Amino acid sequence: MEIRRQNDIIAFRAPGELPVAFHARNLEVADISEELWNTLGGVEDSELQSVLNEWNSEINPAVTTHKLAREIRSLTINVTQICNLKCTYCAAGGDGTYGAAQTKISVEKTLPQLKFFLDKLPDSGTFRIGFIGGEPLLYPEGIRAIANYVKLMTAGRNLRAQFAIVTNGTLLSDANVELLKEINCNVSVSIDGAAEYNDISRPMKNGQGSTALVIEGLKKLFAVKSELGSITLHGVFTAQNMNLVKAYEFYRQFPADTYEFTYSVSDLNQEASDSFTREMREVAAIAYSQGGEEALRKINFFNRVFSALDSQRRTENFCGAGKSLLVVDARNNLFSCPWDVGNASEKVGQGSEVSEAALDKYAQPLIEQNNCQSCWARFLCGGGCMFVHKEATGSKNQKNGQFCERQRTLMETAILYFKKCRQTDIQKDSDYGKH
């Protein structure tokens, strides 16, 4: 892939294809002529240079920016800090405990905590609860109690309650699936592909494989799919398993709504990072060839980029950590990020007490905190994952170069596929324009 850039105009060219330009600030995609491509490459042409200057300086009033105010609308709750698996890449203390095992959260302490945050919200919008662990389905009674309380507290208010869970899928019993139906839960099941890969990376604590149990649970989930929210199959890939294409082929046998491919948050292997982007591009090629835009958008990464380009909505924050999102650990401590659990220095509160001073450091948009203003992908990326940055550099606001490289490479790919999917809508010759 060849890339040329002039200020906020970036042009990409894949082998054997016509060049495509992207306006980083306006989130516009356009086909461009050979002449304009050459001008971006340094060929002198005063008329076309004027065209580039005009497009670069243009302010498109249709473009909006997704801004996050300090209003907690999402709580991620560690209902347990124990797990029945021992995943090889576990970043939660290696065993789901975050270094401090806790069998289950105290519902009695959690309900007043929920009330504290709910009382602060106006009667509009959505209040989101995410259940995580450890393995959250080790404590289904706690999930039910919390969900029922939130539903009760939002009843009669123009405030929508939404629930999600991240589970390893081994405990999807009839009773637990019924619980997820009751709360119309969005379900993300972690599975890294077929048994030959997943059993190695995600074994049970006794060393046995977990895949057969997960597949049985998935069958139960998909049998009641219409009564749930969304179902996502989520894989984590490391230097020991970079078989994304095989994972994608495995996932496609199930009628999931979305697929999520994640590079391990703590893996700093450059060769593995490069392999991840190559595999993701191959997955994209397979998806596009077999199902066009619909298949591409079942992959979360591409769906997010397509949505941003369609809506021309800029992202200033990779996530809502410390702004719209807080995390409640199994001891009712508050953190800004799920991966901060267990790190006392990152604690921002306890129970119904929140340190405004601790949250002040998250007030600025991430693209500003992380000095991303010169990156062409800034409004698609939003500054990147703070935990991933910290794992590599020791600071949440000092960028992980590998992460940035992966993001930009995959966004180039997404933009090119966006152009292909919108080909009939994009008509550009030697001038600039909008999709």
Side-chain angles (χ1 to χ4, degrees):
M1 178 91 69
E2 186 177 356
I3 302 173
R4 296 177 180 180
R5 178 178 182 179
Q6 187 173 121
N7 301 316
D8 271 334
I9 308 301
I10 301 88
F12 313 104
R13 187 167 207 167
E17 297 191 11
L18 296 173
V20 176
F22 172 65
H23 193 303
R25 193 177 64 256
N26 290 343
L27 303 189
E28 297 167 344
V29 179
D31 280 326
I32 58 172
S33 67
E34 291 289 342
E35 292 79 11
L36 200 58
W37 170 257
N38 291 334
T39 302
L40 282 164
V43 174
E44 292 188 12
D45 187 314
S46 59
E47 182 179 350
L48 291 181
Q49 186 58 58
S50 176
V51 167
L52 285 172
N53 292 340
E54 183 181 352
W55 188 21
N56 185 72
S57 62
E58 183 183 74
I59 297 174
N60 186 345
V63 177
T64 59
T65 302
H66 181 213
K67 294 183 177 295
L68 291 175
R70 190 184 296 178
E71 182 181 66
I72 304 303
R73 286 188 169 271
S74 298
L75 288 177
T76 296
I77 302 176
N78 286 62
V79 291
T80 68
Q81 282 177 214
I82 55 172
C83 190
N84 60 332
L85 298 190
K86 192 169 179 61
C87 301
T88 57
Y89 50 74
C90 178
D95 54 4
T97 67
Y98 299 86
Q102 182 78 5
T103 304
K104 57 186 180 181
I105 199 169
S106 167
V107 171
E108 292 75 16
K109 293 180 180 178
T110 304
L111 300 189
Q113 197 171 27
L114 290 166
K115 184 177 187 302
F116 170 78
F117 289 107
L118 282 164
D119 285 349
K120 288 179 171 291
L121 292 177
D123 291 346
S124 62
T126 302
F127 184 65
R128 297 177 177 85
I129 296 288
F131 298 109
I132 64 171
E135 170 48 49
L137 287 176
L138 286 168
Y139 189 32
E141 300 86 357
I143 294 173
R144 177 176 277 109
I146 291 168
N148 284 344
Y149 181 78
V150 171
K151 288 192 289 185
L152 177 66
M153 291 294 290
T154 54
R157 299 176 62 181
N158 187 29
L159 182 61
R160 179 183 174 224
Q162 187 179 82
F163 304 99
I165 190 169
V166 178
T167 173
N168 63 37
T170 62
L171 299 175
L172 290 167
S173 63
D174 291 338
N176 283 342
V177 170
E178 185 62 31
L179 165 61
L180 299 178
K181 281 171 48 182
E182 285 176 21
I183 63 175
N184 192 232
C185 202
N186 297 314
V187 184
S188 178
V189 178
S190 301
I191 184 168
D192 298 343
E196 60 184 300
Y197 306 109
N198 191 68
D199 282 349
I200 294 172
S201 60
R202 302 181 61 80
M204 306 289 287
K205 283 195 169 177
N206 61 10
Q208 294 181 348
S210 62
T211 310
L213 282 174
V214 180
I215 290 175
E216 285 305 306
L218 287 174
K219 290 176 181 176
K220 293 175 182 179
L221 272 186
F222 290 120
V224 296
K225 186 174 183 292
S226 63
E227 299 174 74
L228 295 166
S230 62
I231 300 177
T232 298
L233 299 182
H234 177 213
V236 176
F237 299 90
T238 69
Q240 285 68 48
N241 175 22
M242 275 297 152
N243 294 289
L244 280 75
V245 171
K246 291 183 178 180
Y248 179 63
E249 292 168 350
F250 173 80
Y251 293 159
R252 291 180 67 245
Q253 69 182 292
F254 302 104
D257 296 291
T258 56
Y259 312 126
E260 182 80 43
F261 299 87
T262 299
Y263 186 81
S264 174
V265 295
S266 56
D267 200 323
L268 301 177
N269 183 302
Q270 184 64 54
E271 185 178 347
S273 182
D274 293 341
S275 179
F276 181 86
T277 55
R278 286 194 300 270
E279 288 272 320
M280 274 291 282
R281 293 170 85 164
E282 190 171 345
V283 167
I286 294 169
Y288 180 74
S289 67
Q290 295 183 347
E293 179 175 347
E294 183 179 359
L296 273 172
R297 294 190 75 146
K298 289 190 73 170
I299 301 167
N300 273 344
F301 179 87
F302 295 106
N303 184 53
R304 288 194 296 271
V305 176
F306 274 43
S307 295
L309 296 176
D310 271 334
S311 63
Q312 289 187 301
R313 193 180 193 197
R314 295 183 292 224
T315 296
E316 291 186 328
N317 297 281
F318 184 81
C319 71
K323 295 181 176 71
S324 62
L325 165 72
L326 288 180
V327 179
V328 183
D329 78 357
R331 291 176 175 81
N332 296 97
N333 297 305
L334 292 167
F335 297 89
S336 66
C337 168
W339 299 114
D340 285 340
V341 169
N343 185 345
S345 66
E346 295 290 350
K347 183 176 169 181
V348 300
Q350 165 75 42
S352 299
E353 297 180 4
V354 182
S355 169
E356 295 299 319
L359 292 182
D360 282 345
K361 63 183 180 181
Y362 299 102
Q364 269 186 303
L366 272 180
I367 60 171
E368 295 177 16
Q369 290 188 64
N370 298 348
N371 296 312
C372 300
Q373 295 92 332
S374 63
C375 177
W376 66 260
R378 61 194 182 277
F379 288 124
L380 293 175
C381 171
C385 172
M386 287 185 285
F387 182 80
V388 169
H389 292 334
K390 185 177 179 180
E391 283 288 281
T393 68
S395 169
K396 287 185 174 183
N397 302 126
Q398 185 176 337
K399 295 186 290 293
N400 174 346
Q402 283 185 7
F403 174 89
C404 296
E405 183 182 354
R406 287 194 304 273
Q407 287 287 96
R408 284 192 291 263
T409 300
L410 293 177
M411 284 171 184
E412 294 162 16
T413 303
I415 290 167
L416 291 175
Y417 278 111
F418 179 84
K419 186 269 296 184
K420 289 183 178 182
C421 292
R422 298 289 187 279
Q423 190 65 54
T424 57
D425 300 327
I426 303 174
Q427 297 295 330
K428 293 291 155 246
D429 292 312
S430 62
D431 60 351
Y432 68 95
K434 311 170 190 65
H435 66 74

